[in-house]
Amino acid sequence: MSPGAKPSADTLRQYEQLKADIERHQYHYYVLSEPLLPDIEFDRLFQQLLDFEQQYPNLTSAESPTQRVGVKPDDGFTEVVHLQRMLSLDNAFSDEQVHDFERRIHDRLNTAAAIRYSVEPKLDGAAISIVYEGGQLLRAATRGDGQKGEDVTHNVKTIASVPLRLLGDGHPDVLEVRGEIFMPSAGFEAFNARAREAGEKVFANPRNAAAGSLRQLDPSVTAQRPLDIFIYGIGVVEGGALPGFHSEVLQQLQAWGLKVCPEIDVVIGADGCLDYYRSIGARREALPYEIDGVVYKVDGYDLQRELGQVSRAPRWALAHKFPAQEQLTTVKAIDFQVGRTGAITPVARLAPVAVAGVVVSNATLHNIGELLRKDVRVGDTVIVRRAGDVIPEVVRVVIERRSGNPPEVSLPEHCPVCGSDVVCPEGEAVARCSGGLVCAAQRKQALKHFVSRKALDIEGMGSKLIDQLVDSGRVSHFSDLFALTAAELAQMDRMGEKSAKNLMAAIESAKRTTLPKFLYALGIREVGEATALSLANYFGDIEPIISASMDELQEVSDVGPVVAEHIRSFMNQQHNREVINDLLRRHKIHWPKIDKPAADIELPFSGKTIVVTGTPVSYTHLTLPTIYSV
Ligand code: IVH
């Protein structure tokens, strides 16, 4: 079709619809910080619009989404007119597009000379402009639509890595720096885990978390959020001179106390760019923050000026995107899994989809509260997200793509594994199977915990073996492990006589343990290693813990009412007391006693047992012992 061809009525309708869709998505993305689509889908719509407008240039109106960078600022913040427009970046998704980028640069500069690029991670957060006047932080503003943003000075000042005053000297009178505010991955996961536990709204991804935190009306809320910043460029500079290369300017900014990403480098040519893309790509998951690609920038400012910009983006920069961490797929089924403490986790079974290079076919929905809030139903189209080594999760339903009226998913009344009642205590987001160790799923998880390294440490007792032992009915409780015979073990899959014998020896030596390890191994809710050690040190033996009252338990340094309640309810169950009794009396699980002046006691040490004499005063300290046999 020739440029300027007249569109049909149908085409016009399609075009208007596309514009309206994009506007709606931009509103959800920028204003509500709750995107309806993964970025990759949005980019596809946007590209369709660009293609349309290229085909029918007469169509393009001033208010087309292609004519502006973002959306209008929200209410509640003062508007800031940027001293210099904040641009966006063109995207590339293939090596070929990177070579095309360089070819365009060569053509435009009318040269074949090697081009030097600053190469940088493309951070996934919220763009910010910060103006320093006389070295003092004057104002910080969001990008907004590129021309006008929101004044978020108070919030930005709460971020510890943003200097309120520049270091050193020689700063220009006015210096506008630009960068990205982001929430590091660990902080994001911890923040969402806490919100999820409290049944509060979680953020879809670190980018929304950063943008949402920055746009809090109350700076004390922002101050609680683990935000960080990397500066990646400059805007207006008045009354002072800066170096002629972008990479040198970044070094200067760093010397003035501004935080610059340590991964930034300088390379030559498109091939250098592609090498950088691959090397950062290989380390992407190990970085402590999320990136969605890399950015290539022509390093020389003189060349940048010569290249100039088109409406949305400079010709001298390119974002080369990584495979997306969010994708669309459909829900085939929703199952419920039972964990060690009986927690019931809804899991979505998905039509397999590649997310950031890995095929995902299951995703967690975390807990029943979150499943209901997200209202995920079988057949729904959903956004799945996979980042780093975190379990893939369902972010949200694309509600417009729901067809018909599939039934709501509800919490099963009975445990899918053992049929016991499922309980959901008031005010708790997590539902649990009430079957305890009657439930095979809980039994397996409890046994896996019991034999793990920091617990009784039975080497060779792997997860698959425990599944077999439980499924065959051979093992139900911890104490059954100590009644196993070499002949029985040798019959299990992938077990020979030799490994059975080794395992028997490991089981035997696990009988000699310590009180903290034994307490930890029991798998009482919220009794981790540290709490087990405190309990052991305080009470000195298991019997006083079994009979301790709520008050006595709370005398222990890190035991509060919740943990005390978990310990009491565990010990109150006759069945649990019987298992402990069986382990100690019948199977002779034992540990060195403390708090009794002992002439000689045995202590496990480096895989051996040492016999020491002295008075142990806690599980970490002895009065000067003398070793007299090994
Ligand atoms: S330069 C003139 N460098 O990506 C180019 N942007 O679509 C302006 N971003 O909103 C941006 N990391 O917030 C640049 N190293 C980096 C970046 C980066 C992330 C964001 C930026 C902007 C978006 C561009």
Side-chain angles (χ1 to χ4, degrees):
M1 192 146 332
S2 64
K6 200 169 156 35
S8 68
D10 239 16
T11 308
L12 262 179
R13 249 195 312 276
Q14 261 183 319
Y15 174 69
E16 290 303 326
Q17 183 63 49
L18 194 55
K19 280 200 304 190
D21 283 349
I22 288 175
E23 272 162 6
R24 194 164 43 88
H25 287 303
Q26 286 187 321
Y27 170 75
H28 279 268
Y29 184 105
Y30 291 107
V31 178
L32 304 181
S33 299
E34 282 182 9
L36 294 173
L37 286 179
D39 288 4
I40 186 167
E41 290 283 312
F42 177 79
D43 291 348
R44 204 176 44 78
L45 287 182
F46 204 88
Q47 190 57 48
Q48 265 178 26
L49 190 65
L50 287 171
D51 292 348
F52 241 120
E53 293 181 348
Q54 200 175 15
Q55 203 172 2
Y56 306 105
N58 302 340
L59 274 185
T60 316
S61 52
E63 72 275 18
S64 166
T66 58
Q67 301 305 299
R68 58 178 188 175
V69 183
V71 288
K72 73 168 183 2
D74 192 16
D75 303 333
F77 289 92
T78 313
E79 191 177 274
V80 168
V81 179
H82 293 301
L83 302 172
Q84 210 175 74
R85 188 170 175 171
M86 286 182 82
L87 296 173
S88 182
L89 292 167
D90 278 337
N91 291 327
F93 298 92
S94 67
D95 290 11
E96 197 192 334
Q97 288 173 315
V98 177
H99 286 293
D100 288 347
F101 164 69
E102 185 165 63
R103 205 166 303 126
R104 285 195 301 272
I105 291 174
H106 280 149
D107 287 352
R108 226 180 157 88
L109 297 177
N110 203 11
T111 171
I115 305 283
R116 196 168 98 167
Y117 298 95
S118 171
V119 288
E120 318 176 355
K122 185 168 188 299
L123 302 150
D124 212 3
I128 193 83
S129 145
I130 308 179
V131 178
Y132 286 89
E133 217 177 73
Q136 306 275 354
L137 193 159
L138 175 72
R139 200 189 61 206
T142 62
R143 186 175 69 165
D145 66 1
Q147 317 230 15
K148 293 188 207 121
E150 297 160 334
D151 188 328
V152 288
T153 311
H154 291 302
N155 290 343
V156 168
K157 281 182 166 174
T158 69
I159 302 171
S161 46
V162 173
L164 301 182
R165 173 209 292 261
L166 296 178
L167 301 178
D169 45 29
H171 338 113
D173 298 339
V174 177
L175 172 66
E176 180 192 5
V177 295
R178 290 172 175 185
E180 197 85 350
I181 288 183
F182 60 96
M183 193 178 280
S185 313
F188 169 74
E189 293 302 334
F191 181 86
N192 264 2
R194 231 176 296 126
R196 196 170 281 131
E197 201 131 293
E200 288 164 7
K201 196 188 119 185
V202 297
F203 282 114
N205 52 47
R207 170 169 29 79
N208 293 129
S213 302
L214 210 51
R215 299 175 64 263
Q216 286 293 328
L217 289 171
D218 178 358
S220 70
V221 175
T222 311
Q224 306 294 316
R225 306 280 169 87
L227 297 177
D228 207 343
I229 192 168
F230 282 139
I231 299 297
Y232 54 61
I234 48 171
V236 166
V237 180
E238 283 172 15
L242 287 174
F245 291 91
H246 173 72
S247 55
E248 291 174 1
V249 165
L250 292 183
Q251 276 176 26
Q252 175 63 74
L253 297 182
Q254 201 162 9
W256 285 334
L258 292 155
K259 195 162 170 185
V260 174
C261 177
E263 307 293 338
I264 294 182
D265 209 346
V266 173
V267 302
I268 305 292
D271 289 331
C273 291
L274 291 171
D275 285 346
Y276 178 77
Y277 175 82
R278 283 185 251 289
S279 99
I280 290 281
R283 286 185 299 125
R284 178 188 190 185
E285 306 220 324
L287 293 175
Y289 41 82
E290 284 205 359
I291 61 174
D292 59 347
V294 293
V295 184
Y296 311 132
K297 296 174 185 167
V298 171
D299 199 29
Y301 284 137
D302 52 346
L303 297 187
Q304 285 191 7
R305 261 189 302 276
E306 213 176 319
L307 288 161
Q309 65 187 61
V310 278
S311 71
R312 290 174 59 239
R315 290 197 188 87
W316 44 264
L318 183 72
H320 188 180
K321 296 287 207 75
F322 288 137
Q325 284 178 319
E326 291 182 358
Q327 289 290 354
L328 289 185
T329 185
T330 51
V331 176
K332 298 281 174 219
I334 294 173
D335 290 344
F336 291 89
Q337 284 181 346
V338 187
R340 172 167 69 82
T341 57
I344 297 202
T345 306
V347 176
R349 310 290 178 200
L350 307 167
V353 61
V355 188
V358 170
V359 176
V360 170
S361 43
N362 301 304
T364 182
L365 284 152
H366 297 287
N367 59 48
I368 187 71
E370 197 148 315
L371 167 66
L372 297 178
R373 203 159 347 109
K374 288 178 178 166
D375 188 22
V376 184
R377 306 187 192 184
V378 175
D380 276 348
T381 298
V382 290
I383 301 175
V384 278
R385 180 182 141 79
R386 185 188 84 84
D389 51 9
V390 181
I391 303 168
E393 63 172 355
V394 172
V395 178
R396 69 175 69 240
V397 172
V398 183
I399 204 82
E400 311 152 299
R401 301 206 188 165
R402 179 175 284 169
S403 63
N405 190 16
E408 269 179 53
V409 179
S410 56
L411 182 66
E413 285 177 22
H414 301 288
C415 170
V417 177
C418 72
S420 300
D421 287 349
V422 166
V423 291
C424 190
E426 189 118 355
E428 268 193 43
V430 180
R432 286 175 204 280
C433 159
S434 62
L437 293 183
V438 167
C439 175
Q442 290 183 62
R443 234 171 15 226
K444 286 178 185 172
Q445 298 304 324
L447 285 161
K448 288 171 195 176
H449 174 77
F450 186 78
V451 304
S452 64
R453 204 173 47 77
K454 292 174 179 168
L456 282 219
D457 191 16
I458 306 186
E459 213 186 309
M461 183 67 79
S463 163
K464 293 256 161 58
L465 182 60
I466 288 183
D467 288 347
Q468 283 183 67
L469 290 168
V470 172
D471 291 338
S472 67
R474 187 57 203 85
V475 169
S476 312
H477 304 302
F478 302 148
S479 51
D480 299 336
L481 292 172
F482 296 95
L484 288 167
T485 64
E488 276 173 326
L489 285 174
Q491 277 168 16
M492 298 291 153
D493 289 350
R494 286 178 306 186
M495 278 293 254
E497 260 177 40
K498 180 143 180 16
S499 39
K501 249 181 77 189
N502 289 343
L503 188 50
M504 285 301 289
I507 292 172
E508 192 54 36
S509 69
K511 290 183 181 173
R512 196 171 47 234
T513 182
T514 67
L515 179 57
K517 281 181 164 238
F518 182 77
L519 280 173
Y520 172 71
L522 293 176
I524 303 168
R525 274 178 69 189
E526 294 191 36
V527 177
E529 269 185 295
T531 308
L533 182 61
S534 306
L535 285 165
N537 279 338
Y538 184 86
F539 289 102
D541 208 345
I542 188 86
E543 277 78 22
I545 301 176
I546 296 177
S547 56
S549 67
M550 285 287 289
D551 286 345
E552 283 171 308
L553 287 167
Q554 287 175 73
E555 292 290 311
V556 180
S557 59
D558 55 348
V559 175
V562 175
V563 179
E565 178 60 44
H566 290 325
I567 299 171
R568 271 287 16 106
S569 78
F570 183 92
M571 296 302 180
N572 278 345
Q573 288 183 44
Q574 162 127 18
H575 152 88
N576 287 335
R577 290 199 307 273
E578 278 168 14
V579 169
I580 293 176
N581 202 39
D582 227 29
L583 287 169
L584 304 186
R585 310 278 174 278
R586 189 148 74 93
H587 299 295
K588 306 276 186 277
I589 309 293
H590 63 282
W591 51 82
K593 301 282 188 248
I594 57 167
D595 220 22
K596 291 191 187 90
D600 48 302
I601 59 166
E602 291 180 2
L603 281 179
F605 181 76
S606 240
K608 293 213 169 77
T609 301
I610 55 171
V611 180
V612 299
T613 182
T615 307
V617 289
S618 80
Y619 275 91
T620 39
H621 295 90
L622 291 159
T623 54
L624 289 174
T626 319
I627 300 178
Y628 68 85
S629 89
V630 176

Short mmCIF file of all heavy atoms in Angstrom, two decimals, residues 87-89 120-123 126-127 143 179-180 232 295 297 314 316-317, ligand 1:
data_model
loop_
_atom_site.label_atom_id
_atom_site.label_comp_id
_atom_site.label_asym_id
_atom_site.label_seq_id
_atom_site.Cartn_x
_atom_site.Cartn_y
_atom_site.Cartn_z
N LEU A 87 13.27 11.68 27.48
CA LEU A 87 12.97 10.84 26.33
C LEU A 87 12.79 9.38 26.71
O LEU A 87 13.08 8.97 27.83
CB LEU A 87 14.08 10.96 25.30
CG LEU A 87 14.24 12.35 24.68
CD1 LEU A 87 15.47 12.39 23.81
CD2 LEU A 87 12.99 12.73 23.89
N SER A 88 12.34 8.63 25.72
CA SER A 88 12.19 7.20 25.87
C SER A 88 13.25 6.53 25.00
O SER A 88 14.07 7.22 24.40
CB SER A 88 10.77 6.86 25.41
OG SER A 88 10.54 5.52 25.58
N LEU A 89 13.23 5.21 24.92
CA LEU A 89 14.23 4.52 24.09
C LEU A 89 13.54 3.63 23.07
O LEU A 89 12.48 3.06 23.34
CB LEU A 89 15.11 3.62 24.98
CG LEU A 89 16.06 4.30 25.96
CD1 LEU A 89 16.60 3.29 26.95
CD2 LEU A 89 17.20 4.96 25.20
N GLU A 120 25.05 -0.30 29.21
CA GLU A 120 24.53 -0.23 30.58
C GLU A 120 23.37 -1.21 30.77
O GLU A 120 22.61 -1.44 29.84
CB GLU A 120 23.99 1.20 30.82
CG GLU A 120 24.91 2.25 30.26
CD GLU A 120 24.39 3.68 30.40
OE1 GLU A 120 23.24 3.86 30.86
OE2 GLU A 120 25.16 4.60 30.05
N PRO A 121 23.20 -1.73 31.95
CA PRO A 121 22.01 -2.54 32.21
C PRO A 121 20.77 -1.64 32.08
O PRO A 121 20.82 -0.46 32.42
CB PRO A 121 22.17 -2.98 33.67
CG PRO A 121 23.61 -2.81 33.97
CD PRO A 121 24.08 -1.67 33.13
N LYS A 122 19.70 -2.19 31.57
CA LYS A 122 18.44 -1.43 31.54
C LYS A 122 17.65 -1.81 32.79
O LYS A 122 17.10 -2.90 32.89
CB LYS A 122 17.63 -1.73 30.29
CG LYS A 122 16.39 -0.86 30.21
CD LYS A 122 15.73 -0.93 28.84
CE LYS A 122 14.61 0.09 28.72
NZ LYS A 122 13.54 -0.10 29.68
N LEU A 123 17.67 -0.90 33.73
CA LEU A 123 17.06 -1.16 35.02
C LEU A 123 15.55 -1.13 34.92
O LEU A 123 15.00 -0.36 34.13
CB LEU A 123 17.53 -0.10 36.01
CG LEU A 123 19.04 -0.11 36.11
CD1 LEU A 123 19.59 1.23 36.44
CD2 LEU A 123 19.44 -1.14 37.14
N ALA A 126 11.60 3.04 38.05
CA ALA A 126 10.89 4.25 37.65
C ALA A 126 11.91 5.33 37.35
O ALA A 126 12.83 5.57 38.13
CB ALA A 126 9.96 4.70 38.77
N ALA A 127 11.73 6.01 36.20
CA ALA A 127 12.68 7.05 35.80
C ALA A 127 12.52 8.27 36.70
O ALA A 127 11.41 8.61 37.11
CB ALA A 127 12.45 7.42 34.35
N ARG A 143 9.06 11.00 35.51
CA ARG A 143 9.08 11.34 34.09
C ARG A 143 7.74 11.86 33.60
O ARG A 143 7.69 12.75 32.75
CB ARG A 143 9.49 10.11 33.27
CG ARG A 143 9.66 10.47 31.81
CD ARG A 143 10.17 9.31 31.01
NE ARG A 143 9.16 8.27 30.88
CZ ARG A 143 9.22 7.29 30.01
NH1 ARG A 143 10.24 7.22 29.20
NH2 ARG A 143 8.29 6.38 29.94
N GLY A 179 18.04 9.16 36.27
CA GLY A 179 18.35 7.78 36.61
C GLY A 179 17.10 6.98 36.87
O GLY A 179 15.99 7.38 36.51
N GLU A 180 17.31 5.85 37.49
CA GLU A 180 16.22 4.91 37.73
C GLU A 180 16.14 4.61 39.22
O GLU A 180 17.16 4.28 39.83
CB GLU A 180 16.52 3.62 36.94
CG GLU A 180 15.34 2.72 36.75
CD GLU A 180 14.48 3.09 35.55
OE1 GLU A 180 14.68 4.17 34.95
OE2 GLU A 180 13.59 2.29 35.22
N TYR A 232 21.95 7.37 35.39
CA TYR A 232 22.48 6.94 34.10
C TYR A 232 22.62 8.07 33.08
O TYR A 232 22.84 7.80 31.90
CB TYR A 232 21.66 5.80 33.51
CG TYR A 232 20.18 6.08 33.39
CD1 TYR A 232 19.70 7.11 32.61
CD2 TYR A 232 19.25 5.29 34.08
CE1 TYR A 232 18.36 7.37 32.50
CE2 TYR A 232 17.90 5.53 33.98
CZ TYR A 232 17.46 6.57 33.20
OH TYR A 232 16.13 6.84 33.11
N VAL A 295 21.20 -1.12 27.58
CA VAL A 295 21.06 0.09 26.78
C VAL A 295 22.41 0.40 26.15
O VAL A 295 23.44 0.33 26.83
CB VAL A 295 20.61 1.29 27.65
CG1 VAL A 295 20.37 2.52 26.78
CG2 VAL A 295 19.35 0.95 28.44
N LYS A 297 24.52 3.38 24.27
CA LYS A 297 24.48 4.82 24.00
C LYS A 297 25.77 5.23 23.31
O LYS A 297 26.86 4.89 23.81
CB LYS A 297 24.37 5.60 25.32
CG LYS A 297 23.10 5.34 26.09
CD LYS A 297 23.13 6.03 27.45
CE LYS A 297 21.89 5.64 28.24
NZ LYS A 297 22.00 6.03 29.65
N PRO A 314 15.92 9.20 21.27
CA PRO A 314 17.13 9.66 20.59
C PRO A 314 17.60 8.64 19.55
O PRO A 314 17.35 7.45 19.71
CB PRO A 314 18.15 9.77 21.73
CG PRO A 314 17.67 8.82 22.77
CD PRO A 314 16.18 8.72 22.64
N TRP A 316 20.68 8.11 19.06
CA TRP A 316 21.99 7.63 19.51
C TRP A 316 21.92 6.56 20.61
O TRP A 316 22.95 6.16 21.15
CB TRP A 316 22.84 8.80 20.00
CG TRP A 316 22.10 9.79 20.89
CD1 TRP A 316 21.52 10.96 20.47
CD2 TRP A 316 21.86 9.69 22.29
NE1 TRP A 316 20.93 11.60 21.54
CE2 TRP A 316 21.13 10.84 22.67
CE3 TRP A 316 22.18 8.75 23.26
CZ2 TRP A 316 20.71 11.07 23.97
CZ3 TRP A 316 21.76 8.99 24.57
CH2 TRP A 316 21.04 10.13 24.91
N ALA A 317 20.69 6.13 20.94
CA ALA A 317 20.58 5.12 22.01
C ALA A 317 19.60 4.03 21.60
O ALA A 317 18.69 4.25 20.78
CB ALA A 317 20.13 5.77 23.30
S1 IVH B 1 18.59 6.35 29.03
C1 IVH B 1 17.68 9.30 26.29
N1 IVH B 1 19.66 4.39 30.44
O1 IVH B 1 14.29 2.98 30.28
C2 IVH B 1 17.46 8.01 26.86
N2 IVH B 1 17.30 4.61 30.40
O2 IVH B 1 12.48 3.66 27.67
C3 IVH B 1 16.76 8.07 28.14
N3 IVH B 1 16.12 2.97 31.75
O3 IVH B 1 12.21 5.43 31.23
C4 IVH B 1 16.92 6.90 28.96
N4 IVH B 1 17.90 1.91 32.49
O4 IVH B 1 13.89 5.01 32.94
C5 IVH B 1 18.53 4.99 30.03
N5 IVH B 1 20.73 2.73 31.65
C6 IVH B 1 19.61 3.33 31.26
C7 IVH B 1 18.34 2.90 31.67
C8 IVH B 1 17.20 3.57 31.21
C9 IVH B 1 16.59 1.98 32.53
C10 IVH B 1 14.70 3.31 31.56
C11 IVH B 1 14.43 4.77 31.69
C12 IVH B 1 13.42 5.11 30.67
C13 IVH B 1 13.27 3.86 29.89
C14 IVH B 1 13.47 4.18 28.44
#
